[in-house]
């Protein structure tokens, strides 16, 4: 008696694509302790932020998080807890290629907010955008 396999047995398991990118929080008292990781997960053709956690530079380097580079919208999921230091889910990208959180609201339709990058100190005008290209390297 031959046993037939069901269709479920032939399906490949769905692999979740996820990685960690780094950001800084400009609202912490200690500038050396403001680094955090954001877990991003691939949903369809884009990345979404699903989780965040505090991390120190040495650990981030040993885990290879400082080498990650990603492109996408990086919208937060409903479960995303926000920055582990200040709680905001807002994310900015500096011209230096690094990301950081910010508390000011940037409205759609072109409102501009002036922010200071905690990575390089550059002050810039930030516009709401759909796509970011994030790089985590170089502390």
């Amino acid at each position: 008696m031959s046993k037939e396999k069901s269709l479920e047995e032939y399906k490949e398991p769905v692999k979740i694509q996820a990685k960690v990118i780094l950001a800084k929080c400009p609202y912490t008292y200690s500038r050396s302790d403001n680094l955090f990781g954001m877990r991003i997960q691939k949903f369809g053709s884009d990345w979404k932020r699903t989780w965040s956690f505090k991390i120190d530079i040495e650990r981030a380097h040993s885990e290879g998080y400082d080498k990650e580079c990603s492109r996408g919208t990086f919208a937060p999921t409903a479960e995303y807890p926000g920055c582990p230091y200040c709680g905001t889910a807002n994310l900015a990208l500096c011209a230096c290629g690094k990301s950081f959180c910010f508390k000011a609201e940037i409205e759609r339709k072109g409102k501009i907010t002036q922010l200071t990058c905690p990575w390089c100190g550059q002050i810039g005008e930030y516009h709401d955008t759909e796509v970011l290209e994030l790089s985590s390297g170089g502390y």
Side-chain angles (χ1 to χ4, degrees):
M1 179 169 175
S2 78
K3 189 174 182 181
E4 290 186 33
K5 289 187 178 184
S6 70
L7 286 177
E8 290 299 316
E9 292 178 287
Y10 286 106
K11 287 186 179 178
E12 290 290 321
V14 176
K15 293 181 183 177
I16 295 175
Q17 278 187 280
K19 55 184 166 178
V20 173
I21 55 176
L22 300 175
K24 283 191 174 184
C25 178
Y27 306 107
T28 58
Y29 295 110
S30 170
R31 294 293 174 230
S32 63
D33 294 329
N34 65 349
L35 187 66
F36 66 98
M38 292 179 289
R39 181 185 182 272
I40 57 173
Q41 183 176 330
K42 193 89 171 208
F43 288 90
S45 62
D46 215 347
W47 294 96
K48 294 191 182 229
R49 292 177 280 152
T50 60
W51 180 53
S52 65
F53 55 94
K54 295 177 182 178
I55 192 166
D56 61 52
I57 291 171
E58 292 81 24
R59 175 94 189 258
H61 179 70
S62 69
E63 296 288 339
Y65 300 154
D66 59 332
K67 294 171 181 54
E68 288 295 340
C69 192
S70 298
R71 181 178 170 82
T73 61
F74 302 100
T77 60
E79 297 80 24
Y80 180 69
C83 169
Y85 297 99
C86 71
T88 185
N90 295 325
L91 184 65
L93 176 66
C94 181
C96 73
K98 309 283 191 250
S99 62
F100 60 96
C101 66
F102 66 97
K103 291 181 181 178
E105 291 295 324
I106 294 181
E107 298 173 10
R108 299 219 177 256
K109 307 217 190 275
K111 183 175 179 183
I112 298 170
T113 300
Q114 197 170 61
L115 302 169
T116 303
C117 176
W119 292 94
C120 70
Q122 186 174 193
I123 299 171
E125 292 182 342
Y126 291 81
H127 304 259
D128 189 23
T129 185
E130 292 294 319
V131 179
L132 300 174
E133 189 160 345
L134 301 178
S135 173
S136 292
Y139 302 107

